[in-house]
Amino acid sequence: MFFDTALDDPEALGQIDGVLRDIASWGAQVRRAYGAAADALADLDAGDRPRAVVAGGPDGRLFRAVLEPICPVPFVAWPHPGLPAWAGPLDLVVVVCAEGSGIDAVSTAAEARRRGCALLVAAPEGSELHTVSDGRDAVFLPASGSNATALAVPVLSALHRLGLGPDVQPESVADALDDIAERCSPRVGVDENVAKEVALALADSTPLVWGGSVLAARAARRIAEALRSASGRPAVAGDDEQLVPLLSNAPEVDVFADPFEDGPAPLRPVLIILDDGTESPVLDVARRRLEAEAEQASVRVYPVRAAEGSQIGRFVTLLAVGRYAAAYLALGMGRPA
């Protein structure tokens, strides 16, 4: 049972006020994270290029997705403890931990110090990670808050200043998030609110989430996780090869089914397309293939478009819309957001 009236009911919306306020504060969190690191960033300039960059931890893939297309040296995401065997004094290791005490992050920084690697670390001042990483050839960015995505912005800014990545434009990222907060606000009705519209579409459906570019695909995975948690149902993120079979085998609609005699109808998929503005003939072919398969199977398609701006800005705005949709989905289903 999905209570669609809850999405525009102020009293019902009060139940998820804390979650909605947190998402709405993402823009402010980006500004705080960048402001806390501003002094350290001002001292950076492009010096000798490292042989390679190793980004540790779960956010390593995000950094790689942003930097890999233009980084002038090899960039490796390393989600495992420690470092690859080849990492040494010629390489830069990036370690980010909003809490500053993660075992893997601390061990990675300690291993980097032991091998003589240059370090770029973001963590709270005085934390275990700060202490372990302190020393020569280490750049430390003081963390503000626990939002890992917001903390990624000053890290990417540092990599830009070191001549390794694109310009991030933190204020534009924060402004784009503020705009999403306005457009997906609980005060905005279902007919004008893309997050509420997606939540309604998923009320009795299985989400299939596609993002064509590397960053959009990462956003798709995180949004699918949020939708699974919100609904207690499956939610699948994947490429066209993975999603087309799910579309082609979607349960048929039985217009004569009686829910009292036949039981609840099987959940049908809804295709959510995350569009971050990346233009590519390969992506165009994949998207047309998905849309054609969805049309053939009478599956609804909902495009979600990112705000214009830097890559990280497009990523976080897609993620924010998905998180809003998950919160509204949980509310309509009477589940904890």
Side-chain angles (χ1 to χ4, degrees):
M1 179 71 71
F2 189 87
F3 300 97
D4 54 353
T5 57
L7 303 189
D8 283 336
D9 180 352
E11 184 175 350
L13 286 163
Q15 299 173 33
I16 58 171
D17 183 67
V19 175
L20 298 179
R21 285 181 181 272
D22 177 66
I23 306 170
S25 73
W26 284 10
Q29 291 181 52
V30 166
R31 292 187 181 92
R32 285 198 298 271
Y34 185 75
D39 290 343
L41 290 170
D43 294 334
L44 294 180
D45 55 45
D48 294 336
R49 287 179 179 174
R51 175 181 62 177
V53 180
V54 181
D59 291 312
R61 291 189 178 94
L62 171 61
F63 298 134
R64 184 184 66 188
V66 175
L67 268 72
E68 199 169 43
I70 68 168
C71 187
V73 301
F75 196 103
V76 178
W78 190 257
H80 319 290
L83 292 170
W86 51 262
L90 299 177
D91 305 308
L92 171 66
V93 175
V94 181
V95 184
V96 180
C97 183
E99 297 79 23
S101 58
I103 295 175
D104 288 351
V106 171
S107 66
T108 297
E111 182 67 10
R113 300 301 307 153
R114 187 182 71 80
R115 298 195 198 182
C117 302
L119 266 169
L120 171 59
V121 172
E125 288 189 279
S127 64
E128 184 178 3
L129 179 55
H130 182 195
T131 302
V132 166
S133 60
D134 190 33
R136 185 171 174 269
D137 291 330
V139 174
F140 176 73
L141 303 179
S144 172
S146 59
N147 187 317
T149 303
L151 188 55
V153 172
V155 174
L156 289 168
S157 296
L159 290 167
H160 168 65
R161 288 173 180 264
L162 293 172
L164 300 170
D167 190 5
V168 178
Q169 301 173 346
E171 190 60 35
S172 295
V173 174
D175 288 345
L177 286 168
D178 289 345
D179 181 61
I180 294 295
E182 287 291 330
R183 290 165 48 199
C184 297
S185 164
R187 299 186 302 274
V188 178
V190 170
D191 55 340
E192 297 178 344
N193 189 319
V194 63
K196 290 182 179 180
E197 184 179 352
V198 170
L200 277 175
L202 299 177
D204 55 358
S205 305
T206 299
L208 305 181
V209 192
W210 179 78
S213 71
V214 176
L215 274 176
R218 181 169 178 80
R221 289 191 293 272
R222 293 185 60 178
I223 290 171
E225 291 172 4
L227 294 173
R228 282 195 293 270
S229 177
S231 65
R233 297 172 179 168
V236 181
D239 58 26
D240 57 311
E241 294 293 337
Q242 295 166 321
L243 298 183
V244 162
L246 300 179
L247 292 168
S248 61
N249 291 295
E252 294 184 4
V253 178
D254 185 355
V255 295
F256 300 106
D258 186 331
F260 297 101
E261 293 185 3
D262 303 326
L267 297 178
R268 285 177 49 76
V270 163
L271 178 60
I272 300 173
I273 291 181
L274 302 184
D275 182 357
D276 70 347
T278 300
E279 295 183 358
S280 160
V282 174
L283 297 184
D284 290 344
V285 169
R287 178 168 179 166
R288 287 197 298 269
R289 183 186 180 197
L290 285 166
E291 291 174 335
E293 198 64 47
E295 183 178 5
Q296 180 70 25
S298 299
V299 169
R300 288 174 292 179
V301 178
Y302 282 84
V304 176
R305 294 179 177 84
E308 294 183 0
S310 64
Q311 286 181 301
I312 188 65
R314 299 197 298 270
F315 168 78
V316 295
T317 53
L318 287 175
L319 187 59
V321 173
R323 290 291 299 275
Y324 272 113
Y328 292 130
L329 178 62
L331 176 64
M333 296 182 69
R335 289 174 53 86

